[in-house]
Amino acid sequence: MDTLHDLLYGFSVALQPGNLFLVFVGCFLGTLVGVLPGIGPVGAISILLPMTFQMESAGAIIMLAGIYYGVMYGGSTTSILVNVPGETASVVTCLDGYRMARQGRAGPALGIAAFSSFFAGTIGLIGLQLIAGPLATIALKFGPPEYFAIIVLAFTFITFLSRGSSLKAGIMALVGLILSGVGLDPITSQQRMTFGILNLFEGIGVAPLAMGLFGVAEVFNNLETVVFKKSLAVKIKDIFPTRLDWLQAKWAIVRGTLVGFFLGILPGGGPVIATFIAYGVEKATAKNPERFGKGAIEGVASSESANNAAASTSFIPLLTLGIPPNVVLAVLLGTFLIHGVLPGPLLIKEHPDVFWGLVGSMYIGNAVLLILNLPLIPLWVQVLKIPDKILYPLILLFCLIGAYSINNNVFDIVVMVIFGIVGYLFRKTDYEGAPLIMAFVLGPMVEVNLRRSLLISQGSFSIFFTRPIALGALLVSLVLVIFMYRSFRKRNRSDHTIGELEKTTNSGL
Amino acid sequence: MMKTGKWFVLAIAGVLLLTMQGISEDQAMAAAYPDRPITLLVGFTPGGSVDLSARALANAVKKIIGRPVVIENKPGGTGTVALAAMLAQNPDGYTLCATPSSVLIRVPQMQKVPFKPLKNFKPLIGYATPQLAIVVRSDAPWKSLKDLVNDAAKHAGNIKYATTGVGSTTHAAVEEIAAKEKIQMIHVPYKGGSEALTALLGGHVDFASLTAEFIPSLKAGQTRLLATMNEKRSPQFSGTPTLKEIGYDFVNDAVFSIVCPSNLPPAVREKLEKVFAQATQDKEYRETLEKIDLIPVSYDGKRLEGFLKSNWEKINRHLIATGLIKEAATLPE
Amino acid sequence: MEKRDRISCVVWLVLSFFVCITSLHLGVGTLHNPGPGFILFGASILLAIFTGILSGIGFFKKTKGARPANVWKGLNWETNLIVVVALIAYCLVLRKIGYVMTTFGLMLVLFSLGKMKPWAVVLGALITVLFSYCLFGYFLKTPLPRGMIGF
């Protein structure tokens, strides 16, 4: 009953007129960013962050979080209608969604996407609300060894769940770890790999890095494509799926929600990976898997429910452990800090208005997105009608301003451009940016906690094997590594279509 | 001859004109300053006493200048990351840093830092001094610092403690005790008092040397206070002895300060000094200080600069005498 | 082994070597008291091992059937070269010349890549610059670089 009471309090925060307006703004902007390729939530949050300085902390966080989960909706719309996933989390939706649209069933595809998103997002939120409190209590018992082991597990997941070669993903994670070492040592303040550049003393910024690797690299990728045709001649009718559609999709929604739910909680998981796994699960359990990729409504339902469930539950590790499970939440973590809220085991107790306000606002936001989006679909289609030769220069300019406005410093633009080129070369050589950026985000935490653990244990590694949680996390990592080794030996080229598709449309995280 | 003279006069006039223009530009800039939000960097995690006091002060400044003052936490390297980050920005007065004076004095002597603490920075104001304390969990067996020290002597290398960073005042206090009693304890540095407190409450360290962030947990009965570190006992915790009373030659001398890069235009700096001095009179700010048990002090820029210089020498002598360092790791200027 | 993989392996080896040297220089420390180079040292060694395995596999694996398509083929990568050069120039002169002029120049380059008519390029760049300046510089109060001319 306590939770219900807290939730009501949360709604009372979220329903204040100012905050309610911010939920709308966040969801609207999130959808817009989701529609546009190249500019992702990281860039959007960076640009809007200065605007929130004058706001109350709860309101600012509510709005910026709205951008994060709103993106999932926007991405699906364009995936279905024009086969352009605005975000990586909607790549899988293209597979069947666009096929459905080509078959004249764009309406039901959009409808099922919206409803399954709403359902999954809500279930994810119930999970967030029920799990966060108890987990925070347990998390207080987490010391450096536990944090270290959990982050090692996250690293393993990142490589395990990556689309291409695990080896290459591992290399990317190590490069990310090395990049995170740039700057002053977190414990002894020594300079590391700064080359005496003042701007590097505080390390490379996560936002310019992410915007470069994903946003700018995406622009490069698109600029070089000579012909980039979109077919927009899709008529939308009958938004509501038929009885048959529901019957076909209902278990896919449930399974997608479950997959998203658990992958969202895992550090290193998150919405993007969840969609791929959920789609794979659907295909594996289907009676006639050959329907997939040809307009199966289950395909749309599973991936859309997976990414929304994961978007909701990915707040759990951030809010209870202070570990951001993906790069958008890593940038959002910065927002929390600016507003004086330290995510971690004490957050719920110390800032109930922020925590419950956020949860309440996400319930409302999910409903807002459902209501707002279906009628606004024509608008988003119009946005996409802007020709590429105008759209991509504009996106590039937004990235430039976004990077600049983080610190009002040209240096961040330089960092972004450099990593834009690097990210473009990564695509050419089949390396993925996602493991790099995750390792970059988690790098400082893994370092500090490893060093603290060894200080506590006086240099003995037994500290990781004598504590149940740390041992458990490390064992799971080991099992994953063995799995990777075995699948590595008999690697075949399954998931071919998805791999190919992602390569061509790997947009902002 | 005449010609040269004429040119001379012209040149002088030109130089004068240029300098006047320079001055007036400088003044014009100061007059227009600030026309956008000011960022105040904090080198420790949110929720610690530096952070909380800086936020309160930022609020008071906002009331005066009518522009928001945004707190940005850049924890790491015992507060040095934030100082270095400020140097990387334009010296235009829109990026300042709130820091305990110990980060300018003690940390650079213990560690090599990438700046010259007394040369690269100019203090604007010193506004408070923190209540420092040694705290244990309330279920810990030690009722006094003496118990703790005796226990630590018996089990060398078994007692672990958390501080707000290597070289911080909280660290220095424990080093002082350890040096005097010749005991070995394990130091686990954190990036701010709130993190260190979480580690203590979670049972990952045996005691913690903290600034005022321990107070809520103390009131909630989760922690016990063993010693404070100021010259006199805290009026709020008058039952707790100070380190000096117990017999250790350690008095907290950290002053929470606002510093700017030393190459800030003088007119802007003067304006800032005035604004911050006025802000410390704010009622709400004063109440916050009281709530988090900080003792208000008022140093203006010049006095604080003098204090930093003499403090550097004093701490340097002390650290060498106790054998903690052989010489300062960083040059002051 | 594909040529691009070979190149990437060389890059990673160079990186791992550099990081390894740096970490030794910083001080790896002991297990009792890990130093600033501790993690970097471990990461660089692992990176070298991973790269070794990757190149080893590539070396021993028989080349299967058709060679993979040239990733650069059929793409006008020259466009990207121009954009990269334009962006580097942008970074270099932004502080000196100021936001409005620099961005105007950049947008001229970018829009002209789209093979639009000259007047459309100029007009587009002008509108973009003015609109973005109003939105960010004026409305959102981002202190965009002013440069010598003052805007």
Side-chain angles (χ1 to χ4, degrees), chain C residues 106-126:
Chain C
L106 179 72
M107 293 324 275
L108 281 184
V109 175
L110 292 181
F111 281 140
S112 55
L113 288 176
K115 310 216 164 45
M116 290 190 276
K117 291 196 175 65
W119 64 263
V121 171
V122 175
L123 192 69
L126 205 63

Side-chain angles (χ1 to χ4, degrees), chain A residues 262-441:
Chain A
F262 289 107
L263 280 172
I265 301 177
L266 284 179
V272 180
I273 289 158
T275 55
F276 286 100
I277 305 265
Y279 192 78
V281 167
E282 238 15 78
K283 217 169 158 181
T285 54
K287 282 200 199 83
N288 33 358
E290 63 277 5
R291 280 179 54 244
F292 282 83
K294 291 174 189 146
I297 198 160
E298 298 99 301
V300 179
S302 74
S303 64
E304 279 308 303
S305 44
N307 66 28
N308 281 280
S312 302
T313 54
S314 57
F315 277 94
I316 295 175
L318 177 73
L319 298 177
T320 58
L321 301 175
I323 299 178
N326 60 50
V327 64
V328 188
L329 290 186
V331 174
L332 208 59
L333 176 72
T335 320
F336 278 78
L337 296 185
I338 282 194
H339 288 277
V341 180
L342 182 65
L346 299 176
L347 172 92
I348 303 178
K349 212 183 282 171
E350 286 177 357
H351 300 278
D353 59 324
V354 171
F355 178 79
W356 292 108
L358 180 62
V359 172
S361 82
M362 283 167 74
Y363 276 108
I364 297 168
N366 263 307
V368 166
L369 283 166
L370 184 65
I371 301 162
L372 196 72
N373 266 302
L374 292 177
L376 279 183
I377 284 168
L379 175 70
W380 305 132
V381 174
Q382 286 302 317
V383 168
L384 272 183
K385 275 190 181 155
I386 303 171
D388 287 354
K389 56 187 177 183
I390 295 172
L391 188 62
Y392 283 108
L394 288 183
I395 285 170
L396 201 54
L397 181 64
F398 267 98
C399 288
L400 290 172
I401 297 176
Y404 178 80
S405 63
I406 301 164
N407 278 323
N408 302 323
N409 198 329
V410 179
F411 185 78
D412 287 321
I413 300 186
V414 177
V415 170
M416 185 186 72
V417 170
I418 290 173
F419 281 101
I421 300 167
V422 170
Y424 170 71
L425 293 176
F426 280 170
R427 281 167 199 225
K428 291 291 174 206
T429 45
D430 282 346
Y431 286 93
E432 288 174 78
L436 187 152
I437 201 99
M438 275 317 298
F440 180 83
V441 167

Side-chain angles (χ1 to χ4, degrees), chain A residues 24-262:
Chain A
F24 267 95
V25 173
C27 289
F28 181 83
L29 288 174
T31 317
L32 177 66
V33 166
V35 168
L36 292 171
I39 182 156
V42 171
I45 291 174
S46 301
I47 290 177
L48 290 173
L49 186 56
M51 269 178 68
T52 67
F53 289 164
Q54 314 231 34
M55 298 179 192
E56 292 282 319
S57 49
I61 289 164
I62 283 172
M63 182 181 94
L64 297 177
I67 294 178
Y68 170 60
Y69 56 82
V71 157
M72 307 297 155
Y73 277 76
S76 64
T77 306
T78 53
S79 289
I80 291 168
L81 290 180
V82 285
N83 205 15
V84 176
E87 292 304 319
T88 330
S90 315
V91 169
V92 181
T93 311
C94 288
L95 294 176
D96 284 291
Y98 183 58
R99 282 283 164 167
M100 283 181 74
R102 291 286 293 271
Q103 291 156 10
R105 286 165 40 76
L110 289 169
I112 204 87
F115 287 113
S116 54
S117 295
F118 175 73
F119 172 78
T122 311
I123 296 289
L125 275 173
I126 294 173
L128 167 62
Q129 167 198 335
L130 293 179
I131 296 175
L135 187 62
T137 322
I138 303 171
L140 198 56
K141 288 276 164 220
F142 283 16
E146 281 80 13
Y147 272 97
F148 173 73
I150 288 173
I151 298 168
V152 167
L153 180 62
F155 269 92
T156 329
F157 263 114
I158 295 162
T159 33
F160 181 70
L161 297 173
S162 68
R163 302 304 315 154
S165 140
S166 312
L167 210 51
K168 285 188 172 180
I171 290 178
M172 282 288 93
L174 287 169
V175 173
L177 186 61
I178 289 171
L179 286 176
S180 75
V182 174
L184 295 189
D185 179 85
I187 294 178
T188 66
S189 8
Q190 242 169 305
Q191 290 186 51
R192 298 194 299 196
M193 300 187 286
T194 56
F195 309 106
I197 300 170
L198 271 176
N199 282 299
L200 282 180
F201 283 0
E202 55 165 313
I204 299 169
V206 61
L209 179 65
M211 286 162 74
L213 277 183
F214 298 101
V216 176
E218 168 80 11
V219 173
F220 282 144
N221 230 26
N222 282 294
L223 281 177
E224 69 175 8
T225 319
V226 187
V227 242
F228 190 68
K229 267 236 159 74
K230 292 173 191 165
S231 35
L232 277 165
V234 184
K235 278 261 171 1
I236 304 159
K237 51 181 183 191
D238 303 329
I239 289 286
F240 287 95
T242 61
R243 233 179 81 89
L244 181 68
D245 290 335
W246 281 115
L247 278 176
Q248 279 180 328
K250 70 180 178 202
W251 290 113
I253 296 178
V254 173
R255 279 189 288 261
T257 307
L258 281 176
V259 169
F261 191 101
F262 289 107

Side-chain angles (χ1 to χ4, degrees), chain B residues 3-332:
Chain B
K3 213 174 176 184
T4 337
K6 207 158 125 192
W7 279 115
F8 190 62
V9 171
L10 261 181
I12 296 241
V15 169
L16 268 180
L17 200 72
L18 276 178
T19 39
M20 261 168 66
Q21 199 174 0
I23 290 164
S24 65
E25 232 173 57
D26 206 30
Q27 277 168 344
M29 188 183 159
Y33 173 90
D35 60 358
R36 58 186 163 92
I38 296 174
T39 305
L40 188 57
L41 302 177
V42 173
F44 298 89
T45 46
S49 54
V50 189
D51 177 74
L52 292 176
S53 63
R55 281 176 199 277
L57 189 58
N59 238 337
V61 170
K62 180 186 160 191
K63 282 185 211 163
I64 299 168
I65 59 173
R67 300 270 171 200
V69 178
V70 182
I71 300 290
E72 208 174 311
N73 301 78
K74 293 197 186 293
T78 324
T80 52
V81 170
L83 282 171
M86 175 171 74
L87 290 183
Q89 302 297 333
N90 275 342
D92 52 10
Y94 290 99
T95 314
L96 307 171
C97 190
T99 180
S101 60
S102 51
V103 178
L104 293 167
I105 303 292
R106 286 180 186 273
V107 181
Q109 304 208 27
M110 307 273 287
Q111 317 274 356
K112 183 152 178 40
V113 299
F115 46 75
K116 303 255 185 316
L118 300 187
K119 184 184 165 197
N120 296 149
F121 304 105
K122 270 249 189 269
L124 291 172
I125 181 175
Y127 60 90
T129 182
Q131 194 56 260
L132 269 60
I134 288 180
V135 213
V136 294
R137 274 189 314 282
S138 45
D139 57 2
W142 313 291
K143 305 288 176 216
S144 72
L145 189 63
K146 200 85 207 137
D147 294 352
L148 180 66
V149 167
N150 288 342
D151 222 20
K154 256 184 258 161
H155 313 279
N158 260 344
I159 301 285
K160 299 175 280 273
Y161 66 96
T163 69
T164 54
V166 177
S168 60
T169 320
T170 54
H171 177 209
V174 185
E175 287 285 0
E176 181 73 36
I177 299 171
K180 170 134 196 242
E181 306 281 351
K182 304 215 166 37
I183 49 177
Q184 250 197 335
M185 294 181 280
I186 301 163
H187 177 214
V188 188
Y190 284 84
K191 288 183 193 171
S194 43
E195 252 190 37
L197 180 68
T198 314
L200 177 72
L201 294 180
H204 308 295
V205 291
D206 299 296
F207 72 93
S209 177
L210 293 171
T211 40
E213 49 277 310
F214 65 88
I215 293 172
S217 67
L218 190 70
K219 287 189 175 146
Q222 294 167 298
T223 52
R224 184 185 309 134
L225 198 57
L226 294 189
T228 55
M229 306 182 192
N230 280 14
E231 187 73 47
K232 280 180 276 178
R233 289 189 179 199
S234 154
Q236 232 177 314
F237 312 109
S238 52
T240 309
T242 65
L243 279 187
K244 211 172 172 187
E245 287 173 48
I246 302 175
Y248 301 106
D249 179 21
F250 189 89
V251 172
N252 163 39
D253 51 10
V255 178
F256 286 1
S257 336
I258 307 288
V259 298
C260 65
S262 52
N263 52 349
L264 197 68
V268 172
R269 198 178 72 226
E270 278 156 30
K271 185 159 183 178
L272 277 171
E273 272 191 47
K274 255 182 236 150
V275 168
F276 273 99
Q278 197 187 334
T280 53
Q281 303 304 321
D282 183 73
K283 194 164 151 269
E284 214 178 315
Y285 159 77
R286 288 271 169 165
E287 282 167 7
T288 312
L289 281 200
E290 205 168 304
K291 231 190 311 180
I292 56 180
D293 204 26
L294 292 183
I295 305 139
V297 294
S298 61
Y299 284 90
D300 59 15
K302 211 168 166 196
R303 206 179 129 218
L304 189 56
E305 214 178 341
F307 166 78
L308 289 178
K309 278 214 169 76
S310 62
N311 195 237
W312 176 281
E313 293 302 325
K314 190 179 141 207
I315 301 280
N316 186 260
R317 279 197 304 273
H318 187 87
L319 286 176
I320 291 172
T322 17
L324 287 172
I325 58 166
K326 289 200 175 59
E327 56 178 354
T330 321
L331 290 174

